[in-house]
Amino acid sequence: MYYPAGDYRYDTPVGNITDATANDVSISIEGESLLGSRILVNNTSGYIIWTKTNYGQFSNFERLSILAAYSSFNSLNRQPSGTAITMTQSSTGDRKYRHHTMSKVRFGSLNGDVAEDYFTKYINVTGGGRLKFDDVHGSGIRGVNRADSWQGSVGIDITDHYGPEINASKLWGCEFAIRYVSASDPGPEGGTFTNLNLDALKGFTVSSRSVSGEPGLTLRNVNTNCGQYGYSISNRKFVKIDGCVMYNETSGGTGTYTDIFLDNVKDSTVRDVQFQFPTNTNRQALRIIASQGESKNIKIDNCTWLNKGVAVSVGSSNVS
């Protein structure tokens, strides 16, 4: 599907599809330019909902803006336009194929950041593997009080998906910027997240169900400015957090803040991380616990501690 430059209003989703055919299915949705081709979502269900109950699901999105517009078109006070893109397939954690790609796509509000419009989620992906998103931007409401800006639920929500890659992207104005979780045990492995800007209540959340820890996770060159925590990582091993800059948004949130929270994480590295902004005394830069299993062999190297509060907190006897 190709969108020449222009505005395209959807009072219902362009697709609300449940597909049980015994074959792989692919879609490609492309616009002329990021600002030239605009999808205006004037409903509470989103732009596209696609469920594949058999075989594989493959998608590509390029060069367009997908904008929440339900409140503006209907003169309502902060009613969400649903989840912009929902893609669900039965093949959980598929490691052989790249199921989804996205490049130069913007999610936002019809009337800009200062608006009543927002999405509950920008992207919701379940199943499959190896998604690759480059230059994806999501922005929500910019309220007078910073806490008003966290209206949406999740920027990018990924469940039971093997080895996602997200690069050169910005997610702003929601409760969770990126959430990557496993509903199955053992869950999918891997994940590479680089050159990102996360500005949300909770920045980056990763959770696997396996107590033994799913292997592989990289966060590199991520600029993080959040209200409750920066990164929360549970039940993982071989984690690399490298070259990130951590801020703490102090004009909203809970007051008590943790930059990096590790729970049951093993054989991992926190390197060259800058903990900036010495304003919040109720701040823990790095907290390590083991609510189940154990956290061990975590190397902390060449970090810069400019925060007030606590540099490193160890809160469990099963940490070594």
Side-chain angles (χ1 to χ4, degrees), residues 56-57 87-100 125-131 158-164 188:
Q57 176 190 66
M87 296 182 291
T88 305
Q89 59 187 299
S90 58
S91 58
T92 60
D94 189 332
R95 67 185 66 191
K96 294 182 293 183
Y97 304 108
R98 189 177 299 285
H99 283 269
H100 305 295
V125 172
T126 301
R130 300 193 181 279
L131 68 77
I158 306 168
T159 303
D160 285 338
H161 186 96
Y162 182 90

Side-chain angles (χ1 to χ4, degrees), residues 284-310:
Q284 299 178 99
L286 177 60
R287 178 164 173 76
I288 306 170
I289 71 166
S291 61
Q292 57 181 343
E294 59 181 343
S295 291
K296 64 180 182 180
N297 300 334
I298 298 174
K299 183 178 181 179
I300 305 168
D301 182 35
N302 199 37
C303 295
T304 303
W305 315 87
L306 300 178
N307 62 295
K308 289 184 179 179
V310 178

Side-chain angles (χ1 to χ4, degrees), residues 236-310:
R236 282 280 180 154
K237 57 187 175 185
F238 315 145
V239 174
K240 295 181 181 180
I241 303 174
D242 182 16
C244 298
V245 180
M246 313 299 298
Y247 299 98
N248 171 209
E249 173 55 62
T250 57
S251 62
T254 62
T256 301
Y257 184 80
T258 302
D259 288 283
I260 300 173
F261 177 75
L262 305 179
D263 181 6
N264 189 27
V265 172
K266 309 173 188 63
D267 306 317
S268 299
T269 303
V270 180
R271 175 180 291 123
D272 294 327
V273 176
Q274 297 185 39
F275 299 91
Q276 295 284 353
F277 279 11
T279 54
N280 187 358
T281 58
N282 294 318
R283 179 178 176 184
Q284 299 178 99
L286 177 60
R287 178 164 173 76
I288 306 170
I289 71 166
S291 61
Q292 57 181 343
E294 59 181 343
S295 291
K296 64 180 182 180
N297 300 334
I298 298 174
K299 183 178 181 179
I300 305 168
D301 182 35
N302 199 37
C303 295
T304 303
W305 315 87
L306 300 178
N307 62 295
K308 289 184 179 179
V310 178

